[in-house]
Amino acid sequence: MTTTMTSQSAGLEAREASAIYTAWFERFASALTRSGAPGLGELLLPHAWWRDLVALNWRLASYTGTETIQAFVASAAQFPLRSVRSGGVEPILTSPTPEQTWVEGFFEGETEAGHVLGHVRLMPDVDGEWRAWTVLTSLDDLTNRPRAIRHRRPRPARGGEQTPWHHRRAEACSFERPDPEVLVVGAGQNGLAVAANLGLIGVDTLVVERDDQVGDVWRKRYESLVLHAPVYSDHLPYFAFPPGWPVYTPKEKYADWLDTYRAALEINVWTGTEVVSGEYDEQSHTWTVTARTPQGERVLHPRHLVVATGISGVPVVPTVPGRDTFGGQVLHTAEYRSGSGVAGKKAVVIGAGTSAHDVMEDLHHSGAEVTMVQRGGTYVMSRDNGNLVLFEGQYNEDSLPLEYADLQATSIPWPLLMQLAEPQTAAIAEMDRELLDGLRRTNFKVVMGEPTTGERSGLMSFGARSGGPGGYYIDCGASGLIIDGKVAVHQGAGLEEFTPTGVRLSDGTELEADIVVLATGFLDMREGARRYLGDEVVDRTAPLGGIDESGELGLLWQQSGQEGLWFIGGGLVQVRPYSKYLAFQIAADLDGILNTRAGDAL
């Protein structure tokens, strides 16, 4: 996004940035504490954005343009604010490019519902006045349910605890426990994070996990898997990684960490438990959920049900003619563990996304002769350069404390993020020129974004696509195997049928194979939920992913369209802030503040 700058923005120093923010904020605070927010529009750029994360109106929503923003703020259910004050850290002077300068500041305030944290990004207008380009308001705590952290940590009851801690924990996790208020399906990072937040605000929550151990969702993936996002942005809420943690986490290490997180945050989990069915009673506003446990079937009646089974849930295994005639082994990437025993064999990987590249690399290093089948195009960026541009400017060894870094990150609404992603994608591509040119010289098609969400928006466009991620690869070494000719690529065709000795592609090409790995993706968790909730319930919910009419990602972290049903997912960088906002909405409904059928405050 290009912005007209004035000489006033050139050569600023930190003390001048502080003075600019202070002068602007005095007028801003006055507007926020008065009915109708008079004069607010004069403090905003004409193309300004305001993102509200359940602070003023119990919704995730973004607004743009001075008139739209003024109308939203003036009519918000939790407005005006009180005790609005600048705080947290000193205003920051940021120059993302030589042509752009921002003054960033943080503020806080109170509504009747709770404590609000905010972030503002100021830029000079054409008349030389500094005005807000982006404003964020986010709910940080509930008035009637403050989180039991820091000064509100649990303390022994007067006269001492009557029941030892380990007995209380055993009772909370037992199969004899009363029905929970909230049932979370899935004990991956998203399910555990929302359960941790709910527990800290006093909402009785139970997590059920189909696998035998917390962390198995990662433990059962292919052995070579390493997280692609850097550690700085991946901390789970309330429990940061130790300072010696590796920058990129091996999946086994992360799986163990999830189980440690469960224990440390005292999250109630039933493992080896699968939800069989769920029905909602609109009269009693409760679910009837049948779960198959190691002790037998259990029927639970929670008020709220949270689906946290992952954006990539159920493997998509296409029905391909001739599979029963193929003499080799066929695996989906969800079933692939390692390349043990493949030395000297021919392997064909169908697909060219992240899992396809990881499995291809593992097969090659295990001694297989590998061919990758790429039907369309793939967005590729190197891990180091991509993360440097997209994440490590916000999250790094010397960044602001996570609380404030998260405010900076979430302050950019999705539609604006897609615009900003275009120059970022171009910058990454220039840094990766040797890598991308090398791929193009082979039979590998490189694209710069997801066509339906942003053809030049790179990785961010895949984060905003409908139905979940796919179609990209963050290079950790596999691209070099393609460039060096160690792995063959057949581009522009898909799998047509199996033959006794391999596969036939849609362009008529036949490839010999001893092993075929299907990197054909996953159904999203909304579709996976149909197995136990049924079509009627799931069809009431919004589509998953894509940018909706509120400027947010569809379905995730917000009211789904079905009373008492929520979906949580997304990348590790999103788990920490958004699990909190989801927990607050559920608590507000339990307390009668928010009616999830009407979608507004009562």
Side-chain angles (χ1 to χ4, degrees):
M1 179 178 220
T2 59
T3 304
T4 302
M5 307 303 293
T6 71
S7 59
Q8 185 176 349
S9 65
L12 283 177
E13 297 181 1
R15 57 182 177 80
E16 294 174 291
S18 181
I20 288 168
Y21 183 73
T22 298
W24 178 90
F25 184 78
E26 288 179 359
R27 299 171 62 194
F28 180 68
S30 176
L32 288 190
T33 53
R34 298 164 62 192
S35 178
L40 178 62
E42 300 172 7
L43 302 174
L44 308 173
L45 290 171
H47 56 277
W49 286 86
W50 188 302
R51 193 179 192 201
D52 186 62
L53 300 176
V54 300
L56 303 186
N57 225 25
W58 292 113
R59 300 178 60 208
L60 307 180
S62 298
Y63 308 86
T64 187
T66 53
E67 291 185 6
T68 301
I69 292 172
Q70 179 90 46
F72 155 66
V73 173
S75 63
Q78 300 297 326
F79 184 80
L81 279 75
R82 56 180 183 268
S83 303
V84 178
R85 55 208 178 273
S86 177
V89 297
E90 290 296 314
I92 302 164
L93 184 64
T94 304
S95 295
T97 70
E99 295 78 27
Q100 288 182 312
T101 298
W102 305 332
V103 172
E104 296 183 64
F106 299 89
F107 67 92
E108 56 186 319
E110 313 293 332
T111 69
E112 183 178 348
H115 182 232
V116 173
L117 290 179
H119 174 272
V120 173
R121 196 174 275 108
L122 304 179
M123 292 169 54
D125 206 345
V126 291
D127 61 1
E129 291 293 319
W130 288 79
R131 294 187 172 94
W133 176 35
T134 65
V135 181
L136 170 74
T137 42
S138 65
L139 189 61
D140 185 58
D141 242 331
L142 293 170
T143 300
N144 61 335
R145 287 181 182 264
R147 288 172 293 167
I149 59 176
R150 301 191 63 183
H151 298 292
R152 295 184 293 273
R153 298 172 188 266
R155 292 179 179 272
R158 288 188 177 182
E161 296 289 353
Q162 301 301 308
T163 305
W165 173 84
H166 61 287
H167 288 304
R168 287 185 279 115
R169 288 298 306 134
E171 182 179 354
C173 293
S174 75
F175 288 88
E176 288 75 36
R177 77 193 308 282
D179 289 339
E181 295 175 285
V182 179
L183 182 67
V184 179
V185 184
Q189 60 269 13
N190 281 284
L192 294 177
V194 72
N197 276 285
L198 288 165
L200 288 170
I201 57 178
V203 176
D204 183 29
T205 304
L206 174 65
V207 183
V208 293
E209 168 57 48
R210 182 175 56 184
D211 287 326
D212 293 331
Q213 186 178 355
V214 170
D216 278 355
V217 65
W218 289 94
R219 214 172 270 115
K220 291 183 177 180
R221 301 290 300 278
Y222 42 90
E223 291 185 359
S224 61
L225 177 61
V226 175
L227 274 61
H228 291 158
V231 64
Y232 320 116
S233 61
D234 285 357
H235 304 282
L236 290 174
Y238 314 110
F239 196 32
F241 292 122
W245 198 266
V247 174
Y248 298 107
T249 309
K251 60 100 177 180
E252 292 285 343
K253 189 176 180 69
Y254 191 70
D256 290 344
W257 182 254
L258 289 180
D259 202 25
T260 300
Y261 185 82
R262 170 203 59 79
L265 274 293
E266 300 186 9
I267 300 169
N268 306 322
V269 181
W270 290 356
T271 55
T273 300
E274 184 172 9
V275 173
V276 177
S277 65
E279 297 180 359
Y280 191 74
D281 187 330
E282 294 188 2
Q283 300 302 313
S284 64
H285 307 295
T286 58
W287 289 91
T288 297
V289 178
T290 301
R292 188 180 297 118
T293 79
Q295 286 73 24
E297 279 198 353
R298 174 71 185 267
V299 178
L300 299 164
H301 299 281
R303 287 277 303 278
H304 290 268
L305 183 65
V306 179
V307 178
T309 50
I311 294 292
S312 301
V314 181
V316 174
V317 181
T319 300
V320 181
R323 179 166 174 171
D324 56 342
T325 69
F326 176 53
Q329 184 181 20
V330 181
L331 296 170
H332 190 276
T333 53
E335 303 169 289
Y336 182 87
R337 295 294 175 266
S338 74
S340 175
V342 303
K345 296 184 177 181
K346 293 184 177 181
V348 173
V349 177
I350 306 296
T354 297
S355 295
H357 278 82
D358 287 349
V359 169
M360 170 268 278
E361 184 178 15
D362 190 61
L363 285 166
H364 169 79
H365 289 309
S366 298
E369 180 184 331
V370 188
T371 299
M372 172 181 280
V373 176
Q374 183 196 35
R375 183 172 56 185
T378 306
Y379 174 70
V380 178
M381 71 176 195
S382 68
R383 182 172 63 183
D384 289 346
N385 290 336
N387 285 338
L388 180 65
V389 172
L390 295 177
F391 298 111
E392 293 188 38
Q394 202 82 67
Y395 299 99
N396 56 65
E397 296 288 4
D398 303 311
S399 61
L400 294 174
L402 279 174
E403 180 180 31
Y404 298 103
D406 284 345
L407 290 174
Q408 286 181 305
T410 55
S411 68
I412 304 291
W414 273 98
L416 180 58
L417 184 66
M418 300 306 295
Q419 296 177 38
L420 296 176
E422 291 192 14
Q424 290 178 321
T425 300
I428 296 169
E430 180 61 30
M431 297 166 73
D432 284 341
R433 176 181 292 185
E434 183 177 350
L435 169 72
L436 299 180
D437 286 350
L439 287 172
R440 292 187 180 104
R441 285 193 296 269
T442 71
N443 196 30
F444 189 93
K445 182 179 180 181
V446 175
V447 297
M448 286 295 102
E450 212 280 335
T452 62
T453 54
E455 292 186 346
R456 298 187 304 276
S457 299
L459 189 65
M460 294 299 105
S461 67
F462 293 94
R465 70 184 296 193
S466 298
Y472 65 88
Y473 172 56
I474 302 173
D475 180 45
C476 310
S479 292
L481 299 177
I482 296 172
I483 293 170
D484 295 340
K486 296 176 180 178
V487 168
V489 174
H490 191 92
Q491 207 282 323
L495 176 60
E496 187 75 15
E497 63 179 320
F498 284 92
T499 69
T501 59
V503 296
R504 182 177 294 112
L505 304 181
S506 56
D507 63 359
T509 301
E510 293 192 19
L511 300 173
E512 291 186 17
D514 302 296
I515 303 164
V516 176
V517 180
L518 302 173
T520 46
F522 298 81
L523 292 176
D524 66 57
M525 58 183 166
R526 179 178 182 266
E527 296 306 309
R530 292 183 186 275
R531 295 183 301 170
Y532 50 90
L533 296 181
D535 291 341
E536 184 177 351
V537 169
V538 174
D539 286 345
R540 294 191 193 113
T541 65
L544 187 147
I547 300 175
D548 64 19
E549 67 278 3
S550 297
E552 299 295 327
L553 285 189
L555 188 63
L556 295 176
W557 318 303
Q558 56 189 313
Q559 296 174 50
S560 68
Q562 163 65 55
E563 183 184 6
L565 179 62
W566 311 80
F567 291 79
I568 182 171
L572 296 174
V573 70
Q574 297 163 323
V575 172
R576 190 173 49 255
Y578 290 101
S579 59
K580 179 178 68 173
Y581 304 133
L582 175 52
F584 288 164
Q585 292 172 82
I586 290 173
D589 182 80
L590 290 171
D591 294 342
I593 301 171
L594 173 66
N595 182 342
T596 56
R597 285 184 295 177
D600 280 316
L602 294 176

